[in-house]
Amino acid sequence: MLAGGAGAVVALGVAELLHGLSDDAVPSVLAALGQRVIELVPGGLATRAIEALGGADIPFLVFCLICGSLAAGALLSLLSLRHPAAALAGVAGLWLLGCAAALAEPSAALLPTAAALLLALTCGAGASRLLLRAGRSPRPAAHSPPATRRREAGAPGTELGRRNFVLLAGAAVAAGAAAGGAGRLLASREAPPEAARPLRLPEGRPSGDGAGHRTLPPPPETASIEAPGMPPLITPAGDFYLIDTALISPRVDVREWSLRVGGAVKNPLELSYSDLLSMPIREADITLSCVSNEVGGGLVSNGRWTGVLLSDVLREAGVDPGRITDSSAQIVGRSVDGWTAGFRTELAFDGREALVAFGLNGSELPLEHGYPARLVVPGLYGYVSATKWLSEIELTDWDFDAYWIQRGWAKEGPVKIQSRIDTVRDGETLPAGKIPVGGVAWAPHRGISRVEVSTDGGETWHGARLAAQLDPDSWRQYLYEWDARPGEYTLQVRATDGEGRTQTARKTPPHPSGATGYHTLRVAVL
Ligand SMILES: Nc1nc2c(c(=O)[nH]1)N[C@H]1C(S)=C(S)[C@@H](COP(=O)(O)O)O[C@H]1N2
Ligand SMILES: [Mo]
């Protein structure tokens, strides 16, 4: 079994090395297998796993895949002792499985992938075969009589044989790991730098707010409240929350990329990156949040997005907002990796600044946030709207169910009003006196009109000071100066939106349409 496990490490290592050498024509088989698991796991199970594991979900998945590979190697190696033909058939099965997973990657090329995986498995099987021999035959010529005697006593190997075996197995594992590490290094050599590049708009494009462009002045100082722990009004790109199903962010070459606009539209379009950037440009401050965000959680951020209005793109494709029919009732964004999200077509035309965005906070979209372009729709959770690595916008009927709808999440995903305490932490012990209780509240696209703080578990409420509303699509900072006396307290916050509706106290989990309830903290004041 050890021989087989070591063989599996060799096979995976060689496969990763060939992936690194081939520039995506041979996908990483480990990543591809993980991606297929993510896609094939039933929605309920995926949701429960995400909830239980949080940010450790992907590392756990990769860990399971590696363990599974080791186990497969071990079992096949064991099988090969008695039934070599069956073991060989098992290796062939692994090859087919690997090919099936890898060839589902858009970048995969059939022959190189099939050949690379065959080579990797041959190396793995060969290594395990070699180890089995080393483990079983003591090579009597080289060794002294005691070894032979032990073998005669019925032990499956000799001491020297075992030592050789362990050494060889260690060498095989080390070689496999080194090959895998080299492969990973090679594969990441072309990754763009961590920091996103500044957004450069085409030369000669009239700038300023003429020619239909609308850019924003820096946020006014009144839109921010300074307090320790208060999140910045605009989330820096590096701190922006990150949620997607891609194990590895798709790397898109903008020279080859285009955005197709099709389905139930009069003039199907295909826009290149520079076509997109030469349309009237819009900047907008929009809070994006994930339906999986728990009350008080961090899966929400506020970005200053640069893009073009989705309604402009649709009009160019001949969509008439006055004539939305059953067959054009839904806008589906499709990603280069096949992921989809969909929302009602009306929402692109009801005045909200739904964007095909290519910039975040003045820079190009970072790779992991959807470079080169994505959708951002104020007031909708990301899973129904915010398609990253956008490759296609399709108008279709409402019956089509996008990725997370197929997996049991609500069909429509309006963002629920929420508020969060950021300047105080749960369980904290604070000194008596003035304690700033503050944070952010959001109800895109309705805006926030009031935020209240309670220090007695919701018995009484105090109006908090609000920063100026940057935009109804953006979160709003608040602060309540609490004059705290010694004791134990339950802090809560609740917000009211621009239409006068106050956040509900009723607690619901994120599934299927977003968490509700008040962010609640227990603190002691000394
Ligand atoms: N292509 C693609 N786009 C996607 C997703 C995805 O898995 N794949 N996840 C969506 C979800 S669920 C959310 S909450 C937002 C998160 O965007 P961010 O990672 O830029 O914060 O992206 C959306 N866009
Ligand atoms: Mo999400």
Side-chain angles (χ1 to χ4, degrees):
M1 288 176 82
L2 281 175
V9 174
V10 168
L12 282 177
V14 171
E16 286 301 313
L17 180 61
L18 293 172
H19 157 63
L21 290 170
S22 80
D23 240 8
D24 290 350
V26 177
S28 157
V29 74
L30 205 56
L33 281 168
Q35 200 63 62
R36 302 294 85 77
V37 171
I38 290 172
E39 287 161 8
L40 293 175
V41 154
L45 184 61
T47 297
R48 247 170 288 143
I50 292 166
E51 276 164 9
L53 296 162
D57 53 356
I58 299 299
F60 179 75
L61 172 62
V62 173
F63 175 77
C64 287
L65 285 171
I66 292 177
C67 289
S69 310
L70 295 182
L75 290 177
L76 287 176
S77 166
L78 208 58
L79 188 64
S80 74
L81 296 179
R82 288 275 171 87
H83 308 286
L88 203 61
V91 174
L94 287 182
W95 179 61
L96 288 176
L97 181 73
C99 285
L103 290 171
E105 293 292 308
S107 65
L110 175 65
L111 284 178
T113 300
L117 294 186
L118 190 62
L119 181 60
L121 280 166
T122 307
C123 291
S128 105
R129 195 80 215 117
L130 226 86
L131 284 167
L132 279 179
R133 280 227 205 107
R136 293 177 86 202
S137 67
R139 277 184 277 174
H143 302 312
S144 48
T148 321
R149 245 183 279 129
R150 275 216 207 162
R151 197 163 158 248
E152 281 161 3
T158 68
E159 205 170 329
L160 274 175
R162 270 193 215 112
R163 194 175 300 147
N164 273 345
F165 173 81
V166 168
L167 277 176
L168 275 175
V173 168
R184 292 246 58 90
L185 266 179
L186 284 169
S188 63
R189 92 207 117 153
E190 287 200 344
E194 281 287 299
R197 290 164 297 220
L199 184 62
R200 257 188 268 280
L201 299 171
E203 304 254 340
R205 188 190 66 93
S207 59
D209 287 2
H213 304 298
R214 196 194 289 170
T215 55
L216 293 171
E221 264 169 42
T222 52
S224 292
I225 296 175
E226 291 285 322
M230 181 73 80
L233 180 59
I234 305 283
T235 312
D239 296 339
F240 209 96
Y241 84 93
L242 190 63
I243 289 284
D244 56 60
T245 60
L247 263 180
I248 297 172
S249 294
R251 236 185 293 149
V252 173
D253 182 346
V254 279
R255 289 162 302 184
E256 282 159 31
W257 176 86
S258 70
L259 172 60
R260 290 183 305 283
V261 186
V265 303
K266 224 192 284 155
N267 321 312
L269 292 180
E270 191 154 346
L271 298 170
S272 70
Y273 190 60
S274 60
D275 290 341
L276 195 64
L277 267 62
S278 53
M279 291 177 66
I281 276 163
R282 199 53 85 95
E283 268 185 337
D285 296 322
I286 301 169
T287 291
L288 187 62
S289 68
C290 182
V291 68
S292 296
N293 194 31
E294 302 276 356
V295 173
L299 299 181
V300 54
S301 300
N302 194 36
R304 173 160 282 194
W305 305 93
T306 310
V308 306
L309 283 176
L310 175 60
S311 57
D312 283 352
V313 173
L314 292 175
R315 281 208 180 84
E316 190 131 337
V319 178
D320 176 353
R323 285 210 197 144
I324 297 166
T325 63
D326 281 351
S327 59
S328 60
Q330 183 172 202
I331 296 175
V332 173
R334 188 167 280 111
S335 163
V336 297
D337 65 359
W339 190 87
T340 50
F343 52 94
R344 291 202 181 274
T345 305
E346 292 101 83
L347 303 186
F349 294 104
D350 72 354
R352 71 184 81 199
E353 291 179 299
L355 297 180
V356 177
F358 41 75
L360 174 60
N361 301 349
S363 296
E364 288 180 350
L365 280 185
L367 190 66
E368 63 275 24
H369 292 292
Y371 180 82
R374 72 178 302 173
L375 288 172
V376 180
V377 183
L380 296 184
Y381 287 122
Y383 80 104
V384 291
S385 63
T387 309
K388 306 195 269 191
W389 315 291
L390 185 66
S391 64
E392 187 182 358
I393 295 172
E394 186 193 1
L395 262 66
T396 185
D397 56 39
W398 190 248
D399 290 340
F400 174 79
D401 285 338
Y403 188 94
W404 281 113
I405 316 307
Q406 293 167 22
R407 287 161 179 79
W409 290 77
K411 179 93 181 190
E412 293 186 68
V415 177
K416 291 180 174 159
I417 179 169
Q418 263 302 335
S419 50
R420 188 177 76 190
I421 299 173
D422 290 279
T423 62
V424 178
R425 265 163 295 139
D426 191 32
E428 210 173 343
T429 302
L430 300 153
K434 290 265 182 231
I435 298 174
V437 180
V440 285
W442 60 95
H445 155 77
R446 308 178 298 281
I448 293 292
S449 62
R450 184 167 71 228
V451 174
E452 296 158 289
V453 170
S454 172
T455 58
D456 53 11
E459 294 283 316
T460 56
W461 292 92
H462 314 274
R465 176 162 72 88
L466 286 173
Q469 178 86 69
L470 182 63
D471 189 294
D473 295 339
S474 156
W475 65 19
R476 190 166 184 181
Q477 297 178 345
Y478 71 89
L479 193 76
Y480 169 64
E481 288 282 355
W482 178 30
D483 197 3
R485 262 168 266 181
E488 305 257 315
Y489 296 90
T490 299
L491 301 186
Q492 289 191 311
V493 62
R494 71 177 185 196
T496 301
D497 70 17
E499 294 164 0
R501 274 193 290 265
T502 300
Q503 197 181 324
T504 174
R506 205 165 73 89
K507 282 189 216 161
T508 57
H511 187 266
S513 60
T516 60
Y518 297 158
H519 191 200
T520 303
L521 308 180
R522 264 160 273 275
V523 298
V525 176
L526 292 180

